[in-house]
Amino acid sequence: MRKKIVAGNWKMNVDLNESIDLIESIKKIYDPSDDVEVCIAPSFPFLKESSKLCQGEKIKVLAQNVNDNLKGAFTGEVSIDMLKSINVDGVILGHSERREHFNEDDDLLLRKLKVSLENNIKVYFCIGESFVDREKNNHFEKVKNQLDKTVFKIDSIDPENLVIAYEPIWAIGTGLTASPEQAQEVHKYIRNLLRERYGKKISDKTSIIYGGSVKPNSARDIFEKEDVDGGLIGGASLSPQDFIDIVRSI
Ligand code: PEP
């Protein structure tokens, strides 16, 4: 049985008080008996407070990034041990905004992925094609290429520690959601690639979540698809009610 996951990526949108308010509001309406892994990804300065507030609540706290070095002279950066020392549960890597605005290429992402997995921090690894790739019908090739250069360079993976997030760039923050059928065909394709690389047992157990303008009214149809195991939610995760409605759509 694969884990169902809904993760909210707050990006650079909320300050300390707003982060606390969001968490408190989520806690009020969230039923922790739901069989879903619920995660939030606040900004670095608020991770410690967030993880304290989420202790014992079945809400995991993720960082939006991490450095590929364990320690040293890297001004302005944050390491895995720093995250672990404040009980952060995982890290989002490969988000298209980091690839685009901070020039994170596949080589760097592979280093971040390796060091995170080696140091036992769970990774939510994002891949996805641009609008141009989709228009040219290159989306399968693009996704395969991203996996070949990153995840598939790792010899063995543990589904407890790695989640794949399929996020078509054209759908992120645009209001354009992939149709449930479009999401399913790419998720199935990714699962088949995982099977070819790691075998059926691993591919059956690896959660593949979808991201790209998921809203309460579109979540259910997408999550119903066989190979879609949940969602990575940007805009809608800033509204506690919308976020929990999405969690309940699983
Ligand atoms: C995201 O940034 O990962 C995302 C899916 O954003 P949105 O839901 O706003 O499209």
Side-chain angles (χ1 to χ4, degrees):
M1 202 40 199
R2 279 193 295 278
K3 208 165 267 172
K4 300 284 183 189
I5 299 164
V6 175
N9 176 10
W10 295 352
K11 310 191 185 187
M12 201 177 70
N13 284 314
V14 283
D15 66 14
L16 175 62
N17 288 333
E18 291 163 337
S19 301
I20 294 171
D21 284 351
L22 262 175
I23 292 169
E24 295 299 356
S25 306
I26 290 170
K27 277 160 58 171
K28 270 191 205 132
I29 49 179
Y30 166 55
D31 178 355
S33 69
D34 290 344
D35 205 11
V36 182
E37 179 181 299
V38 173
C39 313
I40 54 167
S43 298
F44 279 139
F46 316 128
L47 286 170
K48 181 175 177 190
E49 186 68 22
S50 301
S51 81
K52 268 196 210 157
L53 291 171
C54 291
Q55 210 92 68
E57 296 286 343
K58 279 189 70 186
I59 300 173
K60 293 196 170 184
V61 176
L62 315 182
Q64 298 173 19
N65 184 26
V66 76
N67 191 266
D68 58 316
N69 294 281
L70 287 177
K71 206 178 179 66
F74 301 100
T75 302
E77 290 294 293
V78 172
S79 74
I80 291 168
D81 282 349
M82 291 172 186
L83 296 179
K84 287 170 96 174
S85 73
I86 51 167
N87 300 315
V88 168
D89 300 290
V91 60
I92 298 171
L93 293 179
H95 193 283
S96 61
E97 288 154 15
R98 296 230 43 101
R99 291 179 191 257
E100 184 185 340
H101 304 309
F102 303 96
N103 301 322
E104 296 203 0
D105 61 13
D106 290 321
D107 288 346
L108 174 61
L109 291 170
L110 174 60
R111 292 202 299 279
K112 290 188 176 199
L113 178 63
K114 263 190 183 158
V115 79
S116 299
L117 296 180
E118 280 164 14
N119 288 278
N120 287 321
I121 192 154
K122 185 164 179 170
V123 175
Y124 300 71
F125 194 82
C126 306
I127 53 173
E129 81 282 0
S130 66
F131 182 70
V132 174
D133 292 324
R134 173 60 72 162
E135 283 229 304
K136 291 187 179 154
N137 219 21
N138 276 345
H139 44 293
F140 293 114
E141 197 185 318
K142 178 69 189 197
V143 158
K144 180 175 186 307
N145 195 266
Q146 286 175 325
L147 287 170
D148 280 341
K149 291 181 168 166
T150 55
V151 175
F152 292 167
K153 298 256 184 218
I154 311 258
D155 281 339
S156 66
I157 61 165
D158 176 357
E160 286 296 319
N161 256 341
L162 178 65
V163 173
I164 307 287
Y166 168 58
E167 297 211 302
I169 300 169
W170 50 270
I172 296 179
T174 59
L176 293 173
T177 317
S179 69
E181 291 70 29
Q182 285 174 321
Q184 167 59 20
E185 70 171 356
V186 179
H187 281 232
K188 188 174 176 188
Y189 176 71
I190 294 169
R191 198 170 309 287
N192 284 337
L193 293 175
L194 284 167
R195 189 174 56 216
E196 280 167 22
R197 177 70 180 91
Y198 301 111
K200 182 166 167 24
K201 209 165 148 196
I202 298 287
S203 70
D204 281 350
K205 283 203 161 169
T206 303
S207 299
I208 307 173
I209 60 177
Y210 168 81
S213 296
V214 176
K215 306 287 179 223
N217 63 3
S218 58
R220 190 172 301 276
D221 288 345
I222 296 175
F223 295 166
E224 255 172 24
K225 292 292 176 190
E226 193 183 336
D227 290 289
V228 179
D229 304 308
L232 181 54
I233 317 299
S237 70
L238 299 173
S239 153
Q241 190 62 57
D242 283 358
F243 184 60
I244 293 303
D245 285 347
I246 292 171
V247 170
R248 291 190 182 133
S249 303
I250 286 216

